[in-house]
């Protein structure tokens, strides 16, 4: 272990957990951390420009690139649209020593970790403080009908069943505190022994490395 290079932070959790806001604030606060831009087949929402939050591709292009092996992972989210992570764009940043963070669904996390297990990737599960608070946030959005809210709550419970796959759990109580938690995770992860062990030993045990 101890591969040098950036860390890929995968941030998952129920829709309504506040991931978008948290990642936006985190990216504003941190240096040498960049967001991965997902590819999706869903239509852009009003105000969503191509290449900012997402690259909007049609199904044919998505399938072509999938067949060509361009995706590190992909998933159908909410039973509708395809979402995926382009391997090359993440790799380029990690190789340059830049950390990458992305908002991803639980299926995506499971797939990425088969290819790139910890410590190259660090999985963080974000939830609202309570299920009742999640329900309130989903209803307050006012954009989803009752059936959609019910479906998202059921999905949230199914997602929580998989928290054993994550290194960290963050409760998004207040944005400030949750962002501070994410910053603390990043900082601590860079201090993990397995990331730095080789360089550390080379410095302190030069003889063991074949030095004089
Ligand atoms: P939305 O379409 O509302 O922006 O996002 C829907 C869901 O897609 C979010 O839960 C988000 O985590 C997930 N998602 C976004 N990008 C990706 C991706 O590249 N791969 C996977 N597996 N899920 C993604």
């Amino acid at each position: 272990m101890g591969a040098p290079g950036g860390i890929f932070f995968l941030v998952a959790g129920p829709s309504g957990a506040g991931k978008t806001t948290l990642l936006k604030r985190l990216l504003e606060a941190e240096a040498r951390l960049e967001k991965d831009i997902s590819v999706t087949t869903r239509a852009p929402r009003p105000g969503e420009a191509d290449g900012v939050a997402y690259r909007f591709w049609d199904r044919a292009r998505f399938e072509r690139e999938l067949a060509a092996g361009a995706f590190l992972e992909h998933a159908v989210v909410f039973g509708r649209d395809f979402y995926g992570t382009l391997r090359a764009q993440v790799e380029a940043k990690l190789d340059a020593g830049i950390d990458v963070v992305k908002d991803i669904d639980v299926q995506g996390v499971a797939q990425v970790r088969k290819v790139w297990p910890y410590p190259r990737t660090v999985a963080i599960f974000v939830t609202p403080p309570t299920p009742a608070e999640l329900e309130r946030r989903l209803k307050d959005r006012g954009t989803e009908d009752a059936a959609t809210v019910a479906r998202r709550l059921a999905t949230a419970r199914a997602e929580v069943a998989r928290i054993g796959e994550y290194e960290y759990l963050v409760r998004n109580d207040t944005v400030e505190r949750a962002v501070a938690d994410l910053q603390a995770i990043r900082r601590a992860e860079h201090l993990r022994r397995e990331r730095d062990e080789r360089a550390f030993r080379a410095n302190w045990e030069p003889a063991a490395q074949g030095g004089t």
Side-chain angles (χ1 to χ4, degrees), residues 7-8 28 51 58 76-77 79 94 97 109 115 118 122 142 167 170 202 204:
I7 305 172
F8 191 15
E28 285 165 3
D58 62 25
V76 177
V77 179
L94 298 182
V109 172
V115 194
Y118 182 88
V122 172
E167 275 77 50
V170 170
W204 286 88

Side-chain angles (χ1 to χ4, degrees), residues 11-16 19-20 36-40 42-43 45 48 53-54 56 62 71 73-78 80-86 102-109 111-112 141 144 152 159:
V11 180
S15 164
K19 286 171 291 173
T20 310
D36 180 62
I37 301 173
S38 304
V39 176
T40 182
R42 83 153 160 75
R45 297 185 186 122
E48 270 186 336
Y54 287 103
F56 297 100
F62 198 101
F71 288 103
E73 64 78 34
H74 75 285
V76 177
V77 179
F78 303 132
R80 273 197 314 264
D81 301 297
F82 282 81
Y83 292 78
T85 305
L86 290 172
K102 88 172 288 175
D103 175 350
I104 187 169
D105 87 317
V106 296
Q107 310 167 76
V109 172
Q111 284 184 55
V112 172
R141 278 182 180 179
E144 282 101 351
R152 294 209 170 186
E159 287 169 351

Side-chain angles (χ1 to χ4, degrees), residues 64-176:
R64 219 167 38 239
E65 295 295 335
L66 185 60
F71 288 103
L72 180 62
E73 64 78 34
H74 75 285
V76 177
V77 179
F78 303 132
R80 273 197 314 264
D81 301 297
F82 282 81
Y83 292 78
T85 305
L86 290 172
R87 177 193 285 262
Q89 69 185 24
V90 182
E91 244 163 12
K93 285 177 184 161
L94 298 182
D95 289 351
I98 294 166
D99 289 350
V100 180
V101 64
K102 88 172 288 175
D103 175 350
I104 187 169
D105 87 317
V106 296
Q107 310 167 76
V109 172
Q111 284 184 55
V112 172
R113 310 210 89 199
K114 282 191 193 136
V115 194
W116 291 351
Y118 182 88
R120 184 163 214 200
T121 59
V122 172
I124 304 169
F125 193 82
V126 179
T127 59
T130 62
E133 176 63 14
L134 174 59
E135 188 168 1
R136 195 187 65 74
R137 288 183 194 179
L138 288 173
K139 285 181 175 159
D140 280 4
R141 278 182 180 179
T143 50
E144 282 101 351
D145 57 32
T148 306
V149 171
R151 188 153 42 88
R152 294 209 170 186
L153 283 170
T155 304
R157 291 194 188 276
E159 287 169 351
V160 168
R162 301 177 63 164
I163 55 171
E165 297 173 29
Y166 294 76
E167 275 77 50
Y168 296 94
L169 304 176
V170 170
R171 288 171 187 77
N172 185 8
D173 191 345
T174 69
V175 170
E176 289 67 28

Side-chain angles (χ1 to χ4, degrees), residues 187-208:
R187 194 168 162 79
E189 278 299 329
H190 276 282
L191 299 173
R192 288 287 305 197
R193 183 257 309 148
E194 54 268 70
R195 292 186 202 286
D196 200 24
E197 186 164 359
R198 190 182 299 230
F200 198 91
R201 283 190 189 281
N203 193 25
W204 286 88
E205 304 171 346

